[in-house]
Amino acid sequence: MKYALIGCGRIATNHIKAVINNHLELVAVCDVIPEHMELLLEKHDLNKTTSIKRYTDYKKMIEENELELVGIATESGLHAEIALYCIEHNINVIIEKPMAMSIEDADKIIQLSEEKGVKVSACHQNRFNIAVQEMRKALEAGRFGKLSHGSIHVRWNRNKDYYTQAPWRGTWAQDGGALMNQCIHGIDLLRWMMGDEIEEVYGVTRQQFHSYLEAEDVGMAVVKFRNGAVATIEGTTNVYPKNLEETLYLFGEKGTVKLGGKSTNNIDVWNFSDETDADQNNKGLEEVTSNVYGNGHTSLYADVIDAIKTDGKPYVDANAGKNALELVLAIYQSQKEGKAVKLPLKKFASVDMMGEF
């Protein structure tokens, strides 16, 4: 399957690993800064592979090559524009989070992909974590019983060097803050586990230690789900001196699970009323990861490849990407208005209209 990657920054190495592990044909890479392409390819011993083309213009790359799948890993503010161009040219896409920066653009991606029969996957790779999959299986089997509440805590560190490395980070036009960039994976997991359908959100954000940014470095929220369950969100890049944890809790009448580690890659608590011997394997489970992005990119790519081949639906589709985006935007809107926000959000809701504390 012919593949190309657009955007060769920090997260791109995980995409290239997934490409190699899934035996895709890497036709081309694209980045406006040529050095980024060379550094990425060199990291994976691909810099001397003459068959891999280099482009600084993604439109030219798409027009000159017959591509079946494209990974989009640019700054967030360009995701929707590039995705729509690829879809218009009948190319399947994997879009790094967030899928878009506005509800309107997310809806355009969903609609156009359905019209064109193109597969779109939002790159929320943590859904493929072993610990997350075990929680999901227990949930779908009804082992939690009625859900009471849940929470996600993303307690990470990002210093000034991280932001100066890519000036678009922390801007309203191209990124958003800690919730949109760092915490959206955990927010995706929370909404997915708790039932997706949300009644209202009350959120508060602040910028405490990153005065050189436009957006927030800490955000908290209370979420009311239509099924009666409630949840809390805590996301920040203010933890001293390094990343502490990403933890997801789920509490039901018959079960309690806590996923921990740096990126919900471990099972810290696993208790069910109908416990069996098989449950012992999950107690203390740890999935070793080389970084906070985890191991899920390879599995996500494998799933999308299978969806393309079988004309199936990606496990993490465009609607999933929209749901995660909508919840972050709802927190931003609640902060701006100083009150709870009802869902669904209006289609004009976007990051760049949220720039107030």
Side-chain angles (χ1 to χ4, degrees):
M1 189 175 291
K2 295 181 183 298
Y3 170 92
L5 177 64
I6 304 174
C8 298
R10 181 182 172 107
I11 193 62
T13 186
N14 288 63
H15 288 264
I16 295 297
K17 285 179 185 176
V19 167
I20 294 169
N21 291 338
N22 285 289
H23 309 291
L24 289 170
E25 181 184 347
L26 181 57
V27 173
V29 292
C30 179
D31 198 288
V32 293
I33 302 174
E35 182 186 1
H36 289 177
M37 291 185 276
E38 298 310 318
L39 288 172
L40 176 65
L41 293 173
E42 184 179 359
K43 185 173 184 178
H44 296 275
D45 295 321
L46 296 170
N47 53 310
K48 295 179 181 178
T49 304
T50 55
S51 62
I52 301 173
K53 302 173 187 176
R54 279 79 154 169
Y55 290 88
T56 55
D57 182 341
Y58 74 88
K59 293 181 179 179
K60 184 178 180 183
M61 181 188 77
I62 289 168
E63 289 161 5
E64 292 185 356
N65 299 277
E66 293 184 4
L67 301 168
E68 296 167 85
L69 178 61
V70 163
I72 301 171
T74 62
E75 52 262 60
S76 302
L78 296 177
H79 288 176
E81 171 194 315
I82 296 171
L84 289 167
Y85 192 85
C86 291
I87 296 166
E88 190 65 54
H89 287 74
N90 299 300
I91 301 171
N92 305 288
V93 290
I94 295 172
I95 313 171
E96 262 299 336
K97 53 75 187 167
M99 184 178 81
M101 301 289 280
S102 70
I103 297 299
E104 182 177 14
D105 281 345
D107 284 339
K108 285 179 181 177
I109 290 170
I110 293 168
Q111 182 179 346
L112 187 61
S113 65
E114 290 173 353
E115 290 174 1
K116 293 283 189 176
V118 165
K119 309 302 178 186
V120 174
S121 178
C123 198
H124 290 292
Q125 76 279 355
N126 285 353
R127 288 196 184 195
F128 291 93
N129 288 357
I130 296 170
V132 171
Q133 282 290 301
E134 289 300 314
M135 176 188 271
R136 185 69 186 183
K137 281 190 280 187
L139 181 69
E140 291 180 352
R143 298 188 66 193
F144 283 91
K146 181 181 178 182
L147 289 180
S148 169
H149 62 290
S151 63
I152 184 73
H153 308 276
V154 184
R155 294 161 172 160
W156 286 357
N157 170 280
R158 291 292 184 272
N159 58 28
K160 193 168 185 178
D161 288 344
Y162 169 83
Y163 293 101
T164 55
Q165 181 188 53
W168 59 268
R169 292 176 181 150
T171 65
W172 288 119
Q174 294 294 324
D175 185 20
L179 294 177
M180 187 65 82
N181 193 319
Q182 284 75 31
C183 307
I184 197 169
H185 286 301
I187 288 170
D188 164 65
L189 294 180
L190 180 73
R191 181 167 187 175
W192 183 46
M193 294 291 184
M194 299 289 292
D196 274 335
E197 297 299 319
I198 294 173
E199 189 174 293
E200 68 176 19
V201 177
Y202 179 78
V204 175
T205 66
R206 293 288 185 272
Q207 187 195 94
Q208 304 284 30
F209 305 144
H210 297 76
S211 58
Y212 42 88
L213 303 181
E214 295 175 1
E216 87 286 350
D217 56 16
V218 60
M220 298 191 179
V222 176
V223 184
K224 293 169 62 177
F225 287 85
R226 295 193 189 281
N227 60 13
V230 293
T232 59
I233 294 168
E234 174 193 341
T236 185
T237 53
N238 289 341
V239 174
Y240 178 84
K242 61 183 180 180
N243 290 347
L244 179 61
E245 62 184 348
E246 179 176 353
T247 54
L248 175 66
Y249 293 82
L250 203 56
F251 300 95
E253 59 182 334
K254 297 178 181 178
T256 296
V257 173
K258 174 194 175 187
L259 306 186
K262 292 291 195 299
S263 55
T264 57
N265 53 302
N266 300 334
I267 297 178
D268 294 343
V269 176
W270 185 269
N271 294 321
F272 288 99
S273 62
D274 62 349
E275 190 165 297
T276 66
D277 291 342
D279 285 308
Q280 298 304 314
N281 295 327
N282 282 339
K283 293 179 182 289
L285 182 149
E286 295 184 6
E287 181 180 0
V288 177
T289 63
S290 59
N291 54 49
V292 293
Y293 304 125
N295 304 321
H297 281 81
T298 292
S299 298
L300 185 140
Y301 267 71
D303 173 75
V304 173
I305 293 165
D306 182 67
I308 294 168
K309 290 179 177 179
T310 63
D311 194 26
K313 177 183 174 183
Y315 190 67
V316 193
D317 63 8
N319 287 295
K322 178 187 172 182
N323 282 346
L325 168 70
E326 183 183 45
L327 183 43
V328 176
L329 290 177
I331 298 170
Y332 286 166
Q333 186 173 327
S334 178
Q335 163 63 34
K336 184 175 182 179
E337 297 177 356
K339 62 181 182 181
V341 171
K342 299 284 186 182
L343 268 63
L345 294 185
K346 295 181 175 63
K347 72 173 185 177
F348 58 78
S350 65
V351 172
D352 57 8
M353 62 176 283
M354 302 299 179
E356 292 184 10
F357 291 105

